[in-house]
Amino acid sequence: MKPTYEELEARNKELEARCDRLEELLKKALDRIADLEEQLNRNSNNSSKPPSTDKKANTRPPKVRLRKPRKGSARALLPLDQIDRHEVCEIDDCPHCGSAELRSKGDPVIFQQVDLPEVKGVVTQYDLHSYQCQTCKSNIIAPRPEGVPNSAFGPRLMALVANLTGVFHLSKADAKQLVADLFAVDISDGSVINIEERVSQALNPVCRRIHTFVTESGFCKHFDETSWRDSGKTHYVWVAATKQAVCYRIDRHRSRGAFEAIAGQLHKLAPVVTDRYSAYNSLENPRQFCIPHLIRNFRRFSQRDGPDGKIGSAIEKELQFLSHTHGLYRKAEISRTTYSQRVRRCRDRVDGLFMDALIEASEDLGTLCEKLLLDEFENLWTFHAYRDAEPSNNLAERDLRKIVLWRKKSYGTRSERGQVFVQTISSVAGTLRRSGANILSFLTEAVVKFYQGLDAPMIQPSYGF
């Protein structure tokens, strides 16, 4: 029996509804596949992932070719006042024929060689005589000479061990082995830890002065953070940096409270460079977003098809042009007038591209551009209004890179005093590197003054730290 018209109509509507559901499921599946492929293709160039997470492709073996000989450089001779040992080399007979009839040709050929002396630790014994007072019957022991630590190790050895573990990031075992090989001094694991703690105490006033300068001075400040491990739990290292100094702080949280703990009493007029992380939204200072971070964000959209790819690629190119223009200005290759003109034109183009994204782009790209356009647009151009501000947060990221390498080698810390040592030695060493000072000499001086009861030495007296 043939179906009636009503039955065919009902069947047709059922099939249409089923096709609609299948089309909806197919669209969700394709969107999900696109999202997963985008996540799979994320790397340090199009996201905030660190370069260490990138998958390295196998390189082809290079073609065998003859290498050109490298040009050597003649080493300059040291002056006579720097010569420690002088030997005269002469001969009496000709090495070819044995004749003794030799005549000098004038000035000798000078050959200088630098070597290292064999060094051994200097052991000093202090005989502390004991007495009993015949009046009050008190037992007394003669004190050590002023400035001599109550330790089996002297200030310079303490500074060296702290330098090896805290600046060069050697493990405690490697530091022990190096000290034993170079100076024939045996140090236990516990002694290394005690040395680190005492050096931290000696450097604590220096670290406080550095933190005060970084937060309260009028110079442009850079903030950033990275993960850290302590006692098997996730912590975070926060960094606050200027071109003159840097300070670190380890905190259990990656929150606004943790940021405010390191930010302290910020100079209200000093510009601040950060990424777009929400913990920095409490800042009242003029704020500059890190442009390279935004370039990576829009590069991810530029790798899509359709309007997202077109608009994301255009915004990425404009931000790259902005960074390039700022670099030319810093190198004094373009004038301030040309620089300002290019920045203003770039600002207008970026504003238009953000508006295009609101109309044509996908929801996630449109949301990002809407947030930047309506709430955060001025934070893209703060560097143009302040001469010492930068459009990137590379300064803080370079300072954090040393902490990241330390974390990968040591897997973090296991105690509060370990955290204090990491914070203190990193802050002092990072600041000393900026001025080109000798880190070992400074650590030695700090330990000596600590045990003498004197004020800690200054790194940059003109800046007050």
Side-chain angles (χ1 to χ4, degrees):
M1 183 177 179
K2 293 183 178 181
T4 63
Y5 176 79
E6 290 77 8
E7 291 176 342
L8 290 175
E9 185 70 18
R11 178 63 175 169
N12 186 42
K13 290 182 179 179
E14 181 182 350
L15 291 175
E16 287 181 354
R18 185 177 180 184
C19 287
D20 291 342
R21 289 196 300 270
L22 291 176
E23 286 181 359
E24 184 178 357
L25 291 174
L26 178 60
K27 183 179 183 303
K28 290 182 178 180
L30 292 176
D31 291 343
R32 178 62 175 165
I33 291 173
D35 290 341
L36 293 174
E37 288 181 344
E38 186 174 300
Q39 293 180 22
L40 187 63
N41 294 328
R42 285 185 183 177
N43 51 49
S44 60
N45 290 322
N46 57 19
S47 70
S48 59
K49 297 180 65 176
S52 58
T53 62
D54 292 347
K55 294 182 179 179
K56 306 297 188 296
N58 294 328
T59 57
R60 295 180 179 179
K63 295 181 179 180
V64 179
R65 63 180 184 273
L66 296 177
R67 291 183 177 272
K68 295 181 180 180
R70 298 182 180 180
K71 295 182 180 180
S73 59
R75 184 181 180 86
L77 295 176
L78 298 174
L80 290 177
D81 58 349
Q82 296 184 26
I83 304 300
D84 300 303
R85 182 181 173 190
H86 194 184
E87 289 191 12
V88 178
C89 302
E90 298 177 329
I91 59 174
D92 297 327
D93 302 321
C94 176
H96 302 287
C97 65
S99 172
E101 297 182 2
L102 300 180
R103 183 180 61 184
S104 174
K105 294 179 65 177
D107 294 335
V109 176
I110 298 178
F111 171 72
Q112 294 181 347
Q113 184 180 80
V114 181
D115 200 357
L116 296 176
E118 184 177 353
V119 182
K120 185 179 179 181
V122 178
V123 180
T124 303
Q125 176 175 313
Y126 298 94
D127 294 334
L128 308 180
H129 288 273
S130 59
Y131 305 91
Q132 185 181 51
C133 177
Q134 298 302 308
T135 302
C136 64
K137 305 302 180 182
S138 299
N139 295 320
I140 306 169
I141 298 179
R144 298 181 305 277
E146 184 180 358
V148 175
N150 182 23
S151 171
F153 310 105
R156 190 168 184 81
L157 183 54
M158 286 186 178
L160 175 62
V161 172
N163 201 19
L164 294 177
T165 61
V167 179
F168 294 101
H169 303 161
L170 295 185
S171 67
K172 292 176 176 54
D174 289 342
K176 286 169 44 184
Q177 187 64 49
L178 184 60
V179 171
D181 292 344
L182 291 178
F183 309 108
V185 176
D186 184 27
I187 303 178
S188 65
D189 290 339
S191 295
V192 174
I193 296 174
N194 292 335
I195 288 173
E196 291 177 346
E197 184 176 13
R198 296 189 181 196
V199 172
S200 296
Q201 294 172 355
L203 297 178
N204 186 45
V206 184
C207 196
R208 288 200 305 269
R209 291 199 298 255
I210 292 173
H211 180 262
T212 301
F213 168 80
V214 170
T215 57
E216 298 183 6
S217 68
F219 295 102
C220 178
K221 309 172 197 316
H222 297 249
F223 291 94
D224 206 351
E225 78 289 333
T226 189
S227 60
W228 185 260
R229 298 288 290 178
D230 183 80
S231 301
K233 297 180 180 179
T234 300
H235 286 61
Y236 296 92
V237 179
W238 293 80
V239 61
T242 66
K243 293 180 180 179
Q244 297 79 18
V246 58
C247 63
Y248 298 83
R249 184 178 184 275
I250 299 178
D251 199 284
R252 180 68 178 87
H253 303 286
R254 185 174 179 250
S255 61
R256 178 178 297 184
F259 164 65
E260 292 175 349
I262 190 173
Q265 299 296 324
L266 281 179
H267 191 289
K268 297 300 182 183
L269 300 180
V272 175
V273 183
T274 69
D275 54 30
R276 297 180 60 247
Y277 181 48
S278 60
Y280 303 114
N281 290 343
S282 61
L283 281 168
E284 298 178 359
N285 298 63
R287 184 179 175 191
Q288 170 65 45
F289 284 159
C290 179
I291 298 299
H293 275 76
L294 289 172
I295 290 175
R296 292 194 292 268
N297 290 337
F298 285 106
R299 183 174 297 148
R300 176 166 57 90
F301 294 109
S302 71
Q303 295 170 351
R304 295 180 179 179
D305 298 327
D308 279 14
K310 181 180 178 181
I311 296 175
S313 178
I315 297 176
E316 177 193 350
K317 290 179 181 178
E318 290 297 335
L319 295 179
Q320 287 177 336
F321 171 77
L322 185 66
S323 298
H324 177 68
T325 300
H326 183 77
L328 294 178
Y329 174 67
R330 284 293 186 225
K331 296 176 184 176
E333 296 182 10
I334 59 175
S335 65
R336 178 73 185 182
T337 301
T338 303
Y339 172 63
S340 298
Q341 291 174 350
R342 292 185 181 182
V343 171
R344 283 195 295 267
R345 288 196 293 266
C346 182
R347 175 175 178 147
D348 293 338
R349 292 193 296 267
V350 170
D351 184 284
L353 289 170
F354 283 173
M355 292 296 296
D356 292 343
L358 296 179
I359 300 172
E360 303 176 17
S362 62
E363 182 180 355
D364 49 352
L365 177 55
T367 301
L368 173 60
C369 292
E370 181 182 12
K371 178 69 174 175
L372 289 171
L373 184 61
L374 300 181
D375 300 332
E376 302 171 341
F377 195 66
E378 293 302 322
N379 293 342
L380 302 180
W381 319 98
T382 302
F383 72 92
H384 184 238
Y386 294 84
R387 295 296 181 98
D388 65 333
E390 294 289 334
S392 72
N393 204 20
N394 289 341
L395 181 65
E397 291 179 352
R398 285 196 299 268
D399 289 324
L400 276 184
R401 190 172 296 123
K402 301 176 181 62
I403 291 292
V404 171
L405 295 175
W406 195 351
R407 180 192 69 206
K408 289 182 177 294
K409 292 174 65 175
S410 66
Y411 302 104
T413 50
R414 293 186 294 179
S415 64
E416 184 178 353
R417 62 180 181 178
Q419 289 186 31
V420 172
F421 177 70
V422 171
Q423 297 171 171
T424 306
I425 196 70
S426 299
S427 300
V428 174
T431 303
L432 286 168
R433 285 194 185 99
R434 279 161 161 71
S435 61
N438 188 307
I439 298 178
L440 179 60
S441 297
F442 184 87
L443 295 182
T444 303
E445 183 182 1
V447 174
V448 169
K449 289 191 173 183
F450 173 72
Y451 282 103
Q452 289 178 347
L454 303 177
D455 292 337
M458 304 283 285
I459 299 177
Q460 291 281 3
S462 58
Y463 289 125
F465 64 84

